[in-house]
Each structure stands twice: as structure tokens, then as C-alpha cells.
Amino acid sequence: MADVPTLGFLRDQLRRARKVRGLSQEELSKMINYSTSAVSAMEIGPNQLSADYLARFDKVLETGGLFVGMLELIRLHAEPDWFRPWGEIEREAVALRWYDPAVVPGLLQTEAYARAMLRAGPPLTDEQIEKRVLARMTRQEVLAREEPPQLVAVLDEQVLRRQVGERATMREQLEHLLAVSDRPHVQVRIIPAETPWYVGLNGPFVLARLADGTEVAHLDNQLRGHTVDGPNDLAALGRRWETVAGEALPHRQSARLIEEVAKSWT
């Protein structure tokens, strides 16, 4: 772990590489088609480091993918050891069915929401939090690739109403849910608050289907998550998915409810 660069080190090296080539921030901004303020934010913060920015930086400065590689190394080591096998499955999945009664799923979180969640959890340094936010945002790239997985997320209405971070953070998060769920491969469906107790309230789970038809599930608890691939367990989770999906509002009605609750966070 001592060889893993920090985010601060990566920012320092971006600034150093630019200066070595005699480029001002304004000159670099024109070369990579980013604003001067974005270049400054990448070098000193507070913007989250962008893989797209670093790819353009590597190309223009001919650094052979050095900075993208550094970012990937940081991201990989930011994830807990127990999460890495699931991270691989998530990247390979062609379909994801995600149920959560408590929080917005990681693939749908905004930066601010993710940061607020991490700050409210077990004690972490600012550097650890920023690395984990980076890892979470990088995971979301699967939804923007050329052939993204089909994602159906079923959430309890309480997820929309439980404050995480500032009120502005919640409004931004719900508006993001609306924007993402407008994509053809993403559905966000909500189980109304007036629904009586149902089996899904026992805890969140994700079911992933791979290209060869293999199914794998992921379960979280207070300490860690773990993958599940036993046929009996998968069958049981499949039945629970049918139950929670059956309680949820249809896609368009869910969008209207999200929009309504978003207005309450002004």
C-alpha cells in the first residue's frame, strides 16, 4: 500500500508535467478542450479527478497513459478487499437488478451524496473518503459505455426522504435519479411509503446476470458485503426480487414521485 499514489501526489504531478512542458493552464485548457478553471481544479481541487481529463492529458502530453494508470491504481486500492470480486462482476454484467430500502445505490449516487454517506460512516481520513468517492464515481462508467447493462433499481420511498448531507445534496441526488432513469437502459422504481411491511425490508441485495447467463448476487451487512452464487440462494433472492418489484410503482409513476419529493428539498 505504501507504493499507491495519493490524490494529492497525482495532482502535484499533473501540475509538474504541465510546467515541465512550458504550458500555462490556459494553453493546456485549449489543447484538451477543458476550461481553464477546470484545469486549475484538477491540479489543486476541489473537483473530483476525471478519467476523461487524464486521458486527454496523457494524449496531449504524450505520457503513455501514465496518469490514467495512476488514477486506476488509486481507485483499485480505494475499494475494500471484499468488494473487488463484486466490482469485477458489476463491470461484466449485462443486467443488474438492485433493491435497497435505505440508500441510493452506488451506481446512481452523486458525488456529494456519496461523500456525505462516507463521512457519516466508520471513521475515515479525508484522503480515504476522496479515494472512495473516486472509486464510486468510476464504477458508474459502466452505465455510460457503448453497451451498458440493463439496470432496474427498486428503492423504498424512505430513500428519497431520509436526509443525507445538505438539503441541496438531496435535491441534486433526486434530480440525478430522474436524469439517469430517463436513459433507455435504466429504470428507477419506488415502493410507496404507505406500503405495509414487506420482505425486502430485511436488507438490500443485487442480482447480476453475465453474458453467458450466469447469475451472481451481492449482499451487504454492517461489516462487509459478499457475493452469493449458490443455486438455492439465488432462487430465494429471485423470489424476493419478484416481491419487491411487485410492490413498486411503474417507471413513470415512480418518476413523478421522485420529482415531487425533489421539490420538497428546496
Side-chain angles (χ1 to χ4, degrees), residues 46-48 104-106 108-121 129-130 132-134 136-137 140 162-174 176:
N47 282 21
Q48 187 66 232
V104 173
L108 300 176
Q109 290 176 8
T110 64
E111 224 179 273
Y113 186 97
R115 188 173 290 110
M117 270 193 63
L118 289 165
R119 284 178 177 159
I129 288 173
E130 290 309 308
R132 293 198 182 186
V133 171
L134 168 65
R136 199 162 295 182
M137 296 303 102
Q140 297 179 5
R162 178 179 293 109
Q163 186 167 345
V164 176
E166 303 294 331
R167 296 184 67 83
T169 299
M170 288 302 300
R171 183 177 179 102
E172 178 192 41
Q173 176 62 75
L174 299 198
H176 180 67

Side-chain angles (χ1 to χ4, degrees), residues 39-130:
V39 172
S40 176
M42 292 294 169
E43 291 185 355
I44 63 175
N47 282 21
Q48 187 66 232
L49 285 162
S50 159
D52 175 72
Y53 177 91
L54 296 182
R56 296 187 191 199
F57 189 96
D58 277 332
K59 182 178 180 180
V60 168
L61 273 68
E62 299 180 338
T63 53
L66 172 66
F67 289 96
V68 168
M70 287 174 64
L71 186 69
E72 179 66 8
L73 184 62
I74 291 171
R75 182 192 68 78
L76 286 173
H77 283 271
E79 296 173 342
D81 291 344
W82 55 258
F83 182 81
R84 291 174 193 170
W86 178 254
E88 288 296 323
I89 291 166
E90 199 175 69
R91 287 188 284 274
E92 295 173 9
V94 297
L96 292 162
R97 292 176 289 169
W98 199 317
Y99 167 73
D100 204 306
V103 298
V104 173
L107 289 184
L108 300 176
Q109 290 176 8
T110 64
E111 224 179 273
Y113 186 97
R115 188 173 290 110
M117 270 193 63
L118 289 165
R119 284 178 177 159
L124 295 170
T125 66
D126 289 345
E127 172 77 9
Q128 288 171 323
I129 288 173
E130 290 309 308

Side-chain angles (χ1 to χ4, degrees), residues 25 34 55 64-65 86 97-98 129 156 192 194 221 230 242 260:
Q25 290 183 342
Y34 267 74
W86 178 254
R97 292 176 289 169
W98 199 317
I129 288 173
D156 194 275
E194 62 267 21
N221 59 39
E242 294 301 325
E260 175 187 322

